Amino acid sequence: MFKKIFKFVNGYVIIKVTGKNKERFINMCLHNNLGIYDIIPSGDGIVMKADRRDFFLMRRLVRKCRVNVRIVSKHGLILHLSRYKRRYGFLMSGLLVCIFFLMLPKYILCVEIDGIYSADREKIMEILHEHGVYVGAKKSEIDDLSEIKNAVIFGVDGVNWAWLYSEGARMRLQIQESISAPELHDTTTPTDIIASCDGWVRRADIFRGERHVNAGMAVTAGQVLVSGKVAAFREGDPEKYMYVHSDANIIADTVRIETGDFSSKETLRIKTGKSKTRLSFDVFGKRLDMFRDISCGFGDYDTAVERKNLDIPVIGYSGLGAEVYRIDEVTITERELTENEVLERAREKLEEKICCKLGKGAVKESEELTYSADKGIYHVELRMHLRENIGVEIPIEE
């Protein structure tokens, strides 16, 4: 591939050699290391390709062998450029384009601010302008990037991190706002507090609402622990109630149980070292695959995809993109796991399932793992003993 490119750049001619000594002429050209190739018999002569430089060195051999040499066609970059040697407008336009692309990376043509923020954009742009970052500025004259970063962080309220990236003719400021204060808890909606799961209550601290639970009681999931409907009348008087937003800490001992089936066989995908790359182009949303079969003839394979978009300064995304597929051949084998390995993996999976259901502040007291095995399948049960706050607020209307 590269040889063809070099030959096109240097230029070559297709010639036809006729005469009685044409075979001798070819041998003498090869003996003198002249660049001839693609030699094909044609009628009463021989057609071949010759490098442009070596073609002019054949004159002595042509006279010596008394053959006729005729140029069939000429090819190469120099030939194409020679056609435009008097088209000054075309040459001038090409020169200006080259100068433009050479000078383009030296100037800032676009300034962007990325990041989710509520800070004053005008203030940020003003700080960037003071440090030489603005459209049309010379990149070599801007201040140090660390100095600009510090100016944005300390000069703009609400920004706790920033960095300036130079991407060709585009300068991109990436910022991150400070973590906002959490929203105030809604205390206006009347709520009950119910048990999220079964448990044995260790401590019940009631701050607001009517107590329905005490320490030492066993409760079930969904049971009302604290009611937001509070009696506000004396015995013998007409019933009257007030509705409040209940607030309490109900600390209880609980048992969370998760089960699952796990195999003692593990499937391994081992790369063989053979890999191929395939391309897919995206032209304004239309995908053009440069391959027919992505498997590349591999029986089993893994695929990794990397997407690249063509961004033009000022304009941004040009609508052109490409996806590079790396296909690695793999061999699939199975490995028999030991009993300890199966149980350790099962413990991790089941613990993860239990922890996803827990609230904040839960503390593990102990755990029990039981299992039974049948034909390589392990049925595992994990019992986790916890101490946690089981109170969950729900609106009284529900």
Side-chain angles (χ1 to χ4, degrees):
M1 181 64 182
F2 290 105
K3 289 183 178 180
K4 291 182 179 180
I5 296 175
F6 292 144
K7 291 182 182 298
F8 178 79
V9 172
N10 294 328
Y12 65 92
V13 294
I14 298 177
I15 60 176
K16 184 175 183 179
V17 182
T18 58
K20 296 181 179 180
N21 298 324
K22 51 184 178 289
E23 291 82 2
R24 181 188 176 196
F25 172 76
I26 294 174
N27 291 333
M28 293 187 68
C29 288
L30 296 174
H31 180 72
N32 287 273
N33 295 322
L34 299 182
I36 60 174
Y37 48 94
D38 294 346
I39 303 170
I40 303 174
S42 176
D44 58 343
I46 297 176
V47 176
M48 69 184 74
K49 295 179 181 178
D51 293 338
R52 177 175 171 272
R53 296 177 180 177
D54 294 339
F55 173 74
F56 297 102
L57 303 177
M58 294 181 181
R59 296 179 180 178
R60 179 177 60 84
L61 302 180
V62 170
R63 292 193 298 267
K64 188 172 183 179
C65 297
R66 297 180 181 180
V67 294
N68 297 320
V69 177
R70 179 172 61 87
I71 297 177
V72 178
S73 60
K74 300 178 181 179
H75 302 273
L77 181 62
I78 296 178
L79 175 65
H80 289 283
L81 293 178
S82 64
R83 296 176 181 175
Y84 302 99
K85 61 182 179 181
R86 293 187 179 181
R87 299 185 181 181
Y88 302 110
F90 178 82
L91 294 176
M92 185 61 66
S93 300
L95 181 61
L96 291 176
V97 170
C98 293
I99 294 175
F100 174 76
F101 281 105
L102 288 174
M103 299 298 294
L104 185 66
K106 298 182 179 180
Y107 291 87
I108 301 173
L109 301 183
C110 179
V111 178
E112 294 182 356
I113 301 177
D114 288 343
I116 302 175
Y117 61 94
S118 56
D120 187 356
R121 180 183 177 86
E122 297 299 327
K123 179 66 174 178
I124 296 175
M125 295 299 295
E126 181 181 344
I127 293 175
L128 294 178
H129 193 280
E130 291 175 357
H131 290 80
V133 181
Y134 54 89
V135 176
K138 208 170 183 180
K139 294 175 66 175
S140 60
E141 297 178 356
I142 67 176
D143 295 340
D144 183 70
L145 299 185
S146 298
E147 182 180 345
I148 300 175
K149 175 201 70 172
N150 293 330
V152 173
I153 293 175
F154 297 110
V156 181
D157 293 335
V159 176
N160 67 339
W161 179 86
W163 191 255
L164 192 64
Y165 297 93
S166 177
E167 301 172 345
R170 174 173 60 184
M171 299 296 292
R172 182 171 61 87
L173 179 68
Q174 184 75 35
I175 68 175
Q176 177 64 45
E177 67 175 349
S178 304
I179 299 175
S180 58
E183 296 183 0
L184 294 176
H185 191 57
D186 180 19
T187 59
T188 60
T189 302
T191 59
D192 290 336
I193 295 180
I194 67 172
S196 61
C197 63
D198 299 345
W200 181 269
V201 178
R202 286 281 184 178
R203 191 177 80 248
D205 301 326
I206 312 301
F207 306 112
R208 191 184 299 113
E210 185 173 306
R211 178 189 294 269
H212 285 193
V213 66
N214 290 304
M217 291 179 56
V219 296
T220 58
Q223 178 178 336
V224 176
L225 306 178
V226 180
S227 175
K229 182 180 178 181
V230 181
F233 62 92
R234 295 180 180 179
E235 186 177 354
D237 293 342
E239 294 185 1
K240 186 178 179 181
Y241 298 92
M242 60 182 294
Y243 294 88
V244 299
H245 183 93
S246 301
D247 186 14
N249 285 330
I250 312 298
I251 308 300
D253 292 335
T254 62
V255 179
R256 302 277 187 164
I257 302 174
E258 284 290 342
T259 60
D261 294 328
F262 301 88
S263 175
S264 62
K265 292 184 179 180
E266 180 185 28
T267 301
L268 301 177
R269 301 177 67 88
I270 303 174
K271 294 183 179 181
T272 64
K274 296 181 180 179
S275 63
K276 293 185 179 181
T277 303
R278 294 291 182 265
L279 291 176
S280 176
F281 294 99
D282 187 5
V283 182
F284 300 106
K286 186 176 181 181
R287 179 175 170 177
L288 303 176
D289 293 331
M290 307 305 292
F291 53 85
R292 293 183 180 179
D293 182 14
I294 195 172
S295 66
C296 305
F298 297 155
D300 298 301
Y301 60 92
D302 289 334
T303 304
V305 183
E306 180 183 2
R307 179 165 182 84
K308 299 180 180 179
N309 293 325
L310 177 61
D311 291 336
I312 299 177
V314 182
I315 299 176
Y317 178 53
S318 64
L320 304 178
E323 289 184 348
V324 181
Y325 294 83
R326 178 182 172 87
I327 299 94
D328 296 294
E329 185 184 33
V330 297
T331 56
I332 300 178
T333 59
E334 286 189 347
R335 183 174 75 92
E336 190 72 22
L337 300 175
T338 64
E339 183 177 281
N340 290 336
E341 289 177 328
V342 175
L343 296 180
E344 188 61 31
R345 296 186 182 189
R347 184 192 302 274
E348 292 177 1
K349 294 290 185 182
L350 297 178
E351 280 186 355
E352 181 180 357
K353 288 183 179 181
I354 292 176
C355 292
C356 290
K357 301 177 182 179
L358 299 179
K360 294 182 178 179
V363 178
K364 183 177 72 171
E365 299 288 340
S366 62
E367 64 181 23
E368 301 169 2
L369 190 72
T370 58
Y371 67 95
S372 60
D374 182 24
K375 297 180 180 179
I377 303 297
Y378 287 74
H379 181 74
V380 185
E381 179 184 272
L382 177 65
R383 289 174 172 264
M384 187 178 291
H385 299 267
L386 303 157
R387 183 165 294 182
E388 57 179 315
N389 188 347
I390 62 172
V392 178
E393 297 177 0
I394 63 166
I396 290 181
E397 290 78 10
E398 297 184 3

